Amino acid sequence: MLLRTRSANAAAAGLLLSVVSFVASASPVWFVDNKALYRLDPATQQIALTVKTDDVRSLAVNSDGSVWALSKKRLTKYQVNGAVATDIELKALSLKSADHAALDSRDGSLWVAEGKEDDESEDDDGDGHAKRIVRLNESGQRVQDFTSPGRVRALVLGLDQSIWLLGNKSLWHYSRTGERLASVELKPISKDKPKLLALDALGVWLWMGTDKQLIRVDGDTPAAAPIKRDLTRKVELLVIDPRSGDLWAATEQSLLLYSDSATPTKVIDLKALGLKDPNSLAFDSANQALWLGHDKGLTRFATDGTRVVTIAAKDDIDAIGVAPFSLVPTIDILAPTADPVTNDPLPVLRVKAGAQCNAAPCAFSVDYFDSYRLSAKLDGLEIGNLFTRGPGTAESTHRPTAKLADGAHVFLAEATDSFGQVSAARETRFSVDTTPPRFGAISPADGSLFKSPKLTLTGSVDETAG
């Protein structure tokens, strides 16, 4: 299978790389028009549920399939069966209105950005129009908030749980606790104000869209020279395939695909497919699909741009909600195996790094695991820094330099990736036995002489033996 690598910049940071195998799960897809909210079953391509709603602007899907629906004045969480789990007036969160919501796949919290006031100028980005950014827990309780310097046009979350905000003239980067990490002035980068923002979290690259230009900024080094791609038509929508770093951009008539290196690779003629007026776009990592909302329909594309199905709707699709991309490190202990007994006092300890994408196994280039920090303990003593990873493999080994004492031992391992995510701990118990069994009293004694051929032989050893 194809193995694609991020740029040398990302490789140096150990933040690569494209998945080479992936098992998709049937996570529900939600979409909304101006009258109702719909739950789509991706396995059957059928609408499984319809819920009447009004003025929904943004959707955020949880790992359990429930969905947050953000309207101008309310925030509502619906269970998979359509029942209302939480309903909050935005003014209760000290928000006058809201336009953007994003879900943190690591803890299920929801970030909401205050929207533009009715009397606020589109061009105003001054301190007089600062906006509140609020984080809610899974139950809808406010647990964090801070104030942005100006109007927020877009909000995206990184795998490290940091927050990127696109203003009229600036790009702001905040930590999860509200500490400003960076502020990038956009006027020197583009004379047009970017209105769209997409984040390649693995490569830490930010794509922005102006009317007729795509701009890629290095998130690790925002001052570095950006990459620009001019277009002949206005950019309407942007999304990232988080596994490969590929960018999908929609214009009024086309879907454009750019590689992670900003090279154009495909153009899909929407008009030739009978699709018009695209107004919502989402990349579905859980189901490996690209969803396009357009005039009276929702179309599913494969990751290579092949149209799979178009689902008719009565109205235009205003927003699409899919489960956010999640990446979790894993570690497996290959040796010693569970509960073995070895007569080697210097047993080889072997572990293998891995990852899960949206709760399913995914494989990366082995260079990706350079970013992992291994924590390993043998009988409570930290030995993770003593492991050596084999060339061209995700496996790491360590052979003790001092003989282990006879008896039981415990080996524990876990891995932490560059985003601060910790794998589930793995543990194995084994025993070292370097002392051979010894015979105790044996009867008859050595040199005994008997006249009868029928004898009883007895004896013992000092441990369990065969």
Side-chain angles (χ1 to χ4, degrees):
M1 282 179 274
L2 176 65
L3 178 64
R4 185 173 300 163
T5 304
R6 299 282 205 272
S7 72
N9 163 51
L15 300 178
L16 301 304
L17 298 159
S18 177
V19 176
V20 295
S21 67
F22 189 88
V23 180
S25 59
S27 176
V29 175
W30 295 82
F31 64 95
V32 66
D33 58 24
N34 62 359
K35 294 180 181 179
L37 173 68
Y38 306 91
R39 177 169 61 83
L40 178 73
D41 182 351
T44 63
Q45 317 293 352
Q46 299 295 315
I47 294 174
L49 180 72
T50 301
V51 181
K52 289 186 177 181
T53 56
D54 182 48
D55 192 31
V56 174
R57 302 179 173 194
S58 181
L59 298 174
V61 178
N62 295 282
S63 58
D64 62 0
S66 60
V67 63
W68 288 100
L70 175 66
S71 64
K72 186 175 182 179
K73 298 295 182 182
R74 307 192 73 83
L75 178 64
T76 306
K77 183 179 182 180
Y78 295 94
Q79 302 287 17
V80 176
N81 62 4
V84 174
T86 307
D87 187 42
I88 308 168
E89 283 193 73
L90 294 182
K91 65 181 181 181
L93 302 173
S94 302
L95 300 175
K96 295 180 180 179
S97 65
D99 293 328
H100 310 287
L103 190 83
D104 187 332
S105 62
R106 289 175 63 170
D107 62 11
S109 61
L110 183 76
W111 285 97
V112 180
E114 191 168 18
K116 182 177 76 71
E117 298 174 33
D118 292 339
D119 60 349
E120 185 179 333
S121 168
E122 283 282 339
D123 295 326
D124 199 338
D125 200 24
D127 293 338
H129 292 278
K131 300 300 180 183
R132 297 191 71 78
I133 313 298
V134 177
R135 180 168 66 92
L136 311 174
N137 63 17
E138 291 178 293
S139 301
Q141 298 170 319
R142 179 168 52 184
V143 293
Q144 176 71 30
D145 67 81
F146 63 91
T147 302
S148 73
R151 183 192 170 194
V152 177
R153 288 184 175 272
L155 176 156
V156 293
L157 300 182
L159 289 173
D160 61 355
Q161 297 184 289
S162 65
I163 307 139
W164 290 91
L165 303 173
L166 177 65
N168 277 337
K169 304 171 186 176
S170 304
L171 180 65
W172 304 298
H173 188 201
Y174 286 86
S175 71
R176 186 168 178 263
T177 58
E179 175 190 3
R180 190 190 297 187
L181 304 175
S183 179
V184 183
E185 293 301 315
L186 299 179
K187 189 174 181 180
I189 296 176
S190 174
K191 63 179 180 179
D192 297 323
K193 296 183 179 67
K195 299 179 181 179
L196 305 170
L197 180 66
L199 172 65
D200 172 13
L202 287 181
V204 197
W205 293 326
L206 292 116
W207 284 91
M208 293 177 288
T210 67
D211 281 349
K212 291 186 178 181
Q213 192 176 61
L214 296 174
I215 303 170
R216 197 191 78 182
V217 174
D218 185 334
D220 283 331
T221 313
I227 294 177
K228 300 180 181 181
R229 292 290 180 265
D230 294 326
L231 304 176
T232 58
R233 292 185 177 273
K234 180 180 177 181
V235 185
E236 305 286 352
L237 307 160
L238 287 182
V239 293
I240 291 279
D241 177 345
R243 300 178 305 117
S244 65
D246 290 347
L247 175 79
W248 288 96
T251 69
E252 185 179 4
Q253 296 186 349
S254 304
L255 270 178
L256 310 174
L257 178 62
Y258 290 81
S259 71
D260 62 299
S261 60
T263 302
T265 59
K266 179 169 289 190
V267 178
I268 299 173
D269 188 342
L270 297 178
K271 186 177 180 181
L273 297 176
L275 309 178
K276 61 180 182 178
D277 299 333
N279 55 11
S280 54
L281 187 65
F283 192 90
D284 185 354
S285 299
N287 297 300
Q288 284 300 278
L290 178 72
W291 299 93
L292 176 69
H294 47 83
D295 177 47
K296 296 184 179 180
L298 177 71
T299 295
R300 176 176 183 168
F301 293 88
T303 56
D304 64 356
T306 303
R307 178 165 67 168
V308 177
V309 65
T310 294
I311 300 162
K314 294 181 180 180
D315 294 285
D316 295 350
I317 308 303
D318 296 324
I320 304 169
V322 297
F325 175 66
S326 66
L327 173 64
V328 179
T330 63
I331 197 78
D332 290 309
I333 296 177
L334 303 183
T337 54
D339 299 318
V341 178
T342 175
N343 62 3
D344 183 358
L346 301 173
V348 174
L349 310 177
R350 181 178 290 108
V351 298
K352 183 177 182 179
Q356 283 197 329
C357 300
N358 290 90
C362 55
F364 289 85
S365 162
V366 294
D367 291 338
Y368 172 76
F369 302 111
D370 288 340
S371 68
Y372 277 24
R373 179 175 59 82
L374 176 63
S375 175
K377 292 182 178 181
L378 180 59
D379 299 329
L381 180 66
E382 176 62 50
I383 58 170
N385 62 323
L386 302 178
F387 277 74
T388 302
R389 188 158 65 83
T393 174
E395 297 182 10
S396 299
T397 60
H398 168 62
R399 187 180 182 93
T401 56
K403 292 182 178 181
L404 301 184
D406 279 16
H409 297 272
V410 179
F411 175 43
L412 182 144
E414 62 183 19
T416 303
D417 68 11
S418 56
F419 305 108
Q421 301 179 108
V422 183
S423 71
R426 294 288 183 262
E427 179 183 291
T428 188
R429 296 173 181 268
F430 65 98
S431 296
V432 174
D433 183 3
T434 61
T435 305
R438 291 177 296 181
F439 284 99
I442 298 177
S443 178
D446 188 26
S448 299
L449 181 63
F450 298 90
K451 294 181 179 181
S452 172
K454 295 183 179 180
L455 301 175
T456 299
L457 307 179
T458 62
S460 64
V461 290
D462 63 350
E463 60 178 284
T464 302

